[in-house]
Amino acid sequence: MNEFMKLLSLSKPVIQAPMAGGPATPPLAAAVSNYGGLGSLASGYLTPETLKRQIEETKQLTSAQFQVNLFVPEKREKVSRKKIEDWQNKIPLSQSAELETDEEQDWNDFYEKIDIVLNSGVKVCSFTFGVPPVDAVKELKKRDCCLIGTAVSVDEAVLLEEKGMDIIVVQGSEAGGHRGAFLHTKGEAAVGLIALIPQAADHVSVPVIAAGGIYDKRGVAASFALGAQGVQLGTAFLACMESGTSAVYKQKLIEAAETDTRLTRLFSGKPARGIVNQWMEDRRIDEDNALPYPLQNTLTKPMRKQAQLEGNPESMSLWCGQGVRAATKQTTVKELMDQLVPAGVIL
Ligand SMILES: Cc1cc2nc3c(=O)[nH]c(=O)nc-3n(C[C@H](O)[C@H](O)[C@H](O)COP(=O)(O)O)c2cc1C
């Protein structure tokens, strides 16, 4: 048993990625924790009340540990009225989007969720899109909460360790969903996992967890060989029966190949990897001109919601990693966990 598994009392070194937007349901998180991994709730886009309810529901389904993931709020960029209007003309249904939230509201929401974690007895809390503020880290540590940060580069990993994170998830460019990146880089920040794991493991002393494109025991073994102490999988769990992924999204995952995804800012303003669909193709020309996060996200929300209601995958965000060809059918958490870490395998 390695340090990471000991820290979280796991029998399998597997984290189910927190996946905001619906897939990371209490039944999914609980099933993963019940099979010896770390199940995750994703608080991004949830109201504090819904998060509280999900924590209670998960507790009913498992007595094992699970984590809550939070988005660290970012500085909002100023955007001209003209640019917003240009996008409103391009995005179907965007006129009905509510635009009024600001950075202060983001922070209020963040601290409300931190309070919920503090009062819920949840002992693992993870972050993406940045370094959590000192006061939040201090309060969580006072309650013996284990803290997990997300890094896409060695510099981010080092900073997260310095700021008190106990575990670092390194997210390779293969990963599905949003990039957790938060530091400016001179060149491309899309570092592949095979390059990222050993370099991060050489520069931090806390356990490094590998995320991005991992789908089976070979990905787990490779991650360990490169210096990781655990793996975090998103896409593979999306295809599980217990996830909240819609039927049409699951079908797209089952049909997709490794070359069907790309990083895009068109849905949210922040780079995220998803299956290419009609909306992405139609607006490809505007890719470099997307509004900053979360403005683009707010404007595309009514379109995405409507597409979800209609079961139309062509205007939904279909977040997905490059390991997706391995998703050939819907599985159960138990089947997935057993094939990731077969019984008797010592890592
Ligand atoms: C649908 C989806 C939603 C995601 N939402 C979050 C999130 O809310 N917080 C987070 O830290 N990571 C999120 N991620 C990224 C995952 O934590 C992880 O880095 C990624 O899924 C790993 O790559 P894989 O999908 O190829 O396994 C999301 C990923 C997906 C696929």
Side-chain angles (χ1 to χ4, degrees):
M1 190 183 272
N2 63 33
E3 193 191 340
F4 161 63
M5 293 167 75
K6 266 191 222 147
L7 259 174
L8 299 181
S9 310
L10 304 178
S11 58
K12 291 191 194 281
V14 177
I15 301 180
Q16 164 245 314
M19 292 183 281
T25 56
L28 178 66
V32 175
S33 292
N34 285 335
Y35 284 111
L38 182 72
S40 310
L41 295 179
S43 79
Y45 320 130
L46 292 186
T47 61
E49 292 70 36
T50 308
L51 173 63
K52 210 190 261 179
R53 227 179 309 123
Q54 287 200 356
I55 292 174
E56 287 315 312
E57 196 183 331
T58 311
K59 279 187 184 168
Q60 301 290 317
L61 299 171
T62 184
S63 54
Q65 298 218 62
F66 59 93
Q67 69 158 331
V68 171
N69 175 261
L70 281 94
F71 291 175
V72 178
E74 296 157 74
K75 250 208 140 14
R76 293 209 178 190
E77 275 175 50
K78 286 229 176 325
V79 187
S80 71
R81 193 64 238 164
K82 162 96 178 58
K83 196 168 173 190
I84 295 176
E85 279 167 10
D86 283 351
W87 271 104
Q88 280 176 322
N89 292 330
K90 287 175 184 164
I91 304 172
L93 307 176
S94 59
Q95 300 293 345
S96 63
E98 291 167 24
L99 287 175
E100 73 279 4
T101 66
D102 59 19
E103 212 176 304
E104 197 182 324
Q105 274 174 278
D106 293 347
W107 281 109
N108 289 342
D109 179 78
F110 175 85
Y111 279 108
E112 240 185 282
K113 287 172 180 172
I114 290 284
D115 276 344
I116 290 171
V117 173
L118 289 169
N119 294 320
S120 66
V122 168
K123 292 289 179 212
V124 191
C125 188
S126 71
F127 301 92
T128 187
F129 304 153
V131 182
V134 176
D135 53 353
V137 170
K138 204 166 132 201
E139 287 307 311
L140 289 161
K141 292 229 164 185
K142 263 199 230 159
R143 308 278 173 105
D144 291 327
C145 217
C146 178
L147 304 184
I148 307 179
T150 307
V152 305
S153 66
V154 174
D155 286 349
E156 289 185 354
V158 169
L159 185 62
L160 286 165
E161 180 180 29
E162 266 171 32
K163 300 294 180 186
M165 298 303 105
D166 304 297
I167 293 166
I168 314 282
V169 170
V170 294
Q171 187 191 39
S173 58
E174 304 88 335
H178 282 102
R179 310 270 305 135
F182 56 92
L183 290 181
H184 175 74
T185 55
K186 198 161 84 178
E188 248 178 16
V191 182
L193 195 60
I194 205 161
L196 188 53
I197 301 170
Q199 296 187 86
D202 282 350
H203 286 85
V204 297
S205 56
V206 294
V208 164
I209 308 306
I214 301 169
Y215 222 97
D216 60 22
K217 62 182 178 189
R218 292 167 297 183
V220 178
S223 299
F224 272 66
L226 290 165
Q229 293 196 24
V231 291
Q232 174 163 307
L233 282 73
T235 304
F237 283 108
L238 283 177
C240 283
M241 221 178 67
E242 295 88 340
S243 79
T245 319
S246 66
V248 60
Y249 189 171
K250 265 186 198 165
Q251 191 53 36
K252 290 301 271 187
L253 293 167
I254 287 168
E255 289 165 6
E258 71 288 356
T259 48
D260 290 341
T261 75
R262 74 174 166 88
L263 286 169
T264 182
R265 291 180 56 226
L266 288 169
F267 283 107
S268 71
K270 206 185 240 312
R273 183 175 296 287
I275 299 171
V276 175
N277 59 6
Q278 198 60 49
W279 160 255
M280 283 166 71
E281 289 291 63
D282 290 349
R283 294 267 68 95
R284 195 171 193 130
I285 189 174
D286 298 313
E287 182 66 66
D288 293 336
N289 204 26
L291 297 166
Y293 178 88
L295 205 45
Q296 186 86 5
N297 196 57
T298 307
L299 288 188
T300 62
K301 191 174 168 187
M303 173 185 81
R304 289 181 282 118
K305 209 166 154 191
Q306 184 64 23
Q308 181 89 21
L309 282 173
E310 289 170 358
N312 167 20
E314 299 309 328
S315 311
M316 290 161 61
S317 48
L318 301 164
W319 302 143
C320 168
Q322 289 178 328
V324 67
R325 191 188 283 266
T328 53
K329 60 177 176 28
Q330 180 169 257
T331 55
T332 62
V333 164
K334 182 176 179 340
E335 282 165 344
L336 176 61
M337 297 287 279
D338 284 347
Q339 70 93 358
L340 283 170
V341 190
V345 167
I346 311 277
L347 287 157

